Amino acid sequence: VKEDMDSIDISIQDAKGLGAIVRKFTPGEVSEITWDISDPACAADWRDGINAFKKGYYGNAANSFDLIIGEKDTEKAFRVEAKPCLYYMHAESLYRSEKIANAQRAFETFIKNYQNSTYMPLAVGSLVNMAIKEAKYDQVPKMLADLRKYGGEQKAFADYYEGRLLFAKRDIAGANNKFSQAAANSANFTTKGLALMGQADCAVDQKDLIKARSLAQKVLSANPSASVAGAAHLVIGDAIMAEIEAKKLAGEELQNMLLDATLEYLRVHLQYGGDRNTEPKALFKAGECLQILSKKFPQRGID
């Protein structure tokens, strides 16, 4: 019945029908909200959009959310408490379907209208990702400074994204320091998992393969979100490939390690598919592993 930076409130009907009890949670205690949208004017489009998003059909998801937003009466009927989620999901779907200009406008409008929503940091994160991928590094500091004004969990989230910026600029030591700060100061499972994966990326980059795999395994043992779990398996695959290169492996040991790496990459696709930040690279790397196996060990019949 309420979600913002201060509190997430859930109304629970008393079992005896004597009324409702409202339970309050801090945003750091809640990993995800599944919104109940029952109004017939928008329920079907909402379900279609959410289902398409989960399957990785982001263009279809954006279209479904746009059907709600684009119709004045339908948007008016949409549950008020869930509107921040609707507008965030619309912008995120546009971003993931590569409609970058439309996504940027949608995110900026969302942040302007829902500054205190728990989805606001996620919107900032996507804007930061867009700026980093387009090498527009100068746009990032202001966004992170605005996020840090909220303090608490949002400062940890900003530290994580500053780590991503530093990693992109090849300041690996600085990036690792920011990821460490984010992991230490976050109470949110997703943010902490992302920060640990950032540290693992730094470890792979520095050829510290034992540390990289240890961090990724630590994340997987904590029942992470699908996106974080996919990133963990990707890092484990990268660590195995880096170990192969570092040790100049050959023969049966090389064959076994390549198979291990292939399985880690394929897990991303088979178990955690749909994330554009991990699945494309994982599929490409799995293909590379299979190509090496088919050339070096043709007797296995790998095609």
Side-chain angles (χ1 to χ4, degrees):
V1 294
K2 174 192 172 188
E3 71 82 18
D4 59 33
M5 295 285 195
D6 301 317
S7 177
I8 293 175
D9 297 355
I10 301 173
S11 179
I12 304 171
Q13 190 67 33
D14 183 86
K16 297 179 180 180
L18 300 177
I21 300 171
V22 175
R23 290 192 61 190
K24 295 179 177 290
F25 300 87
T26 65
E29 294 176 304
V30 178
S31 60
E32 184 180 3
I33 301 172
T34 300
W35 288 99
D36 171 30
I37 307 299
S38 57
D39 193 296
C42 42
D45 289 328
W46 172 252
R47 286 195 297 269
D48 288 346
I50 293 296
N51 289 334
F53 188 91
K54 288 180 176 179
K55 293 177 181 177
Y57 303 141
Y58 300 119
N60 293 344
N63 291 337
S64 292
F65 298 134
D66 195 51
L67 288 173
I68 300 172
I69 294 171
E71 293 289 337
K72 185 175 181 180
D73 290 339
T74 304
E75 193 271 348
K76 187 176 180 181
F78 196 84
R79 186 176 169 189
V80 174
E81 297 87 353
K83 280 188 177 179
C85 182
L86 168 65
Y87 281 88
Y88 164 72
M89 292 296 291
H90 180 236
E92 186 69 18
S93 298
L94 289 169
Y95 165 50
R96 296 196 188 195
S97 57
E98 302 289 347
K99 297 176 182 176
I100 302 302
N102 290 341
Q104 183 157 359
R105 287 193 294 271
F107 277 127
E108 289 171 351
T109 299
F110 167 83
I111 292 171
K112 179 181 178 180
N113 294 333
Y114 299 105
Q115 291 187 7
N116 204 40
S117 169
T118 56
Y119 296 97
M120 189 276 292
L122 299 177
V124 171
S126 292
L127 284 171
V128 169
N129 279 334
M130 283 191 278
I132 290 174
K133 287 179 181 178
E134 295 175 4
K136 297 178 179 178
Y137 301 142
D138 59 323
Q139 295 180 2
V140 176
K142 183 182 184 305
M143 287 190 280
L144 297 184
D146 289 342
L147 193 57
R148 284 194 172 94
K149 292 176 183 177
Y150 290 90
E153 190 62 39
Q154 308 323 316
K155 183 180 183 301
F157 200 68
D159 285 340
Y160 165 73
Y161 273 103
E162 185 173 353
R164 280 294 164 208
L165 173 63
L166 293 170
F167 190 90
K169 295 169 74 172
R170 302 304 299 154
D171 180 358
I172 305 303
N176 189 63
N177 183 52
K178 283 297 175 182
F179 291 141
S180 298
Q181 289 179 25
N185 297 326
S186 174
N188 182 282
F189 296 126
T190 299
T191 304
K192 190 178 288 288
L194 288 170
L196 289 171
M197 291 315 306
Q199 289 180 271
D201 286 336
C202 292
V204 170
D205 188 89
Q206 297 300 301
K207 308 299 183 186
D208 191 345
L209 309 178
I210 294 176
K211 180 180 179 181
R213 293 188 69 168
S214 175
L215 286 164
Q217 293 291 355
K218 182 178 179 180
V219 169
L220 289 173
S221 66
N223 192 27
S225 64
S227 61
V228 175
H233 285 293
L234 184 58
V235 163
I236 293 173
D238 286 348
I240 294 171
M241 293 302 291
E243 185 175 351
I244 289 172
E245 182 179 352
K247 294 182 176 179
K248 308 296 182 184
L249 298 179
E252 186 175 354
E253 191 174 7
L254 170 61
Q255 178 179 287
N256 291 336
M257 293 285 277
L258 283 169
L259 287 171
D260 287 344
T262 302
L263 290 174
E264 292 297 334
Y265 291 134
L266 289 178
R267 280 180 182 273
V268 180
H269 167 62
L270 295 172
Q271 294 180 255
Y272 311 105
D275 189 335
R276 67 195 297 275
N277 293 316
T278 55
E279 186 177 25
K281 180 183 176 181
L283 284 169
F284 179 79
K285 298 292 286 187
E288 282 191 328
C289 290
L290 290 170
Q291 185 179 47
I292 296 170
L293 282 164
S294 67
K295 289 181 177 180
K296 290 186 174 293
F297 308 99
Q299 71 277 11
R300 289 190 63 93
I302 295 173
D303 187 359

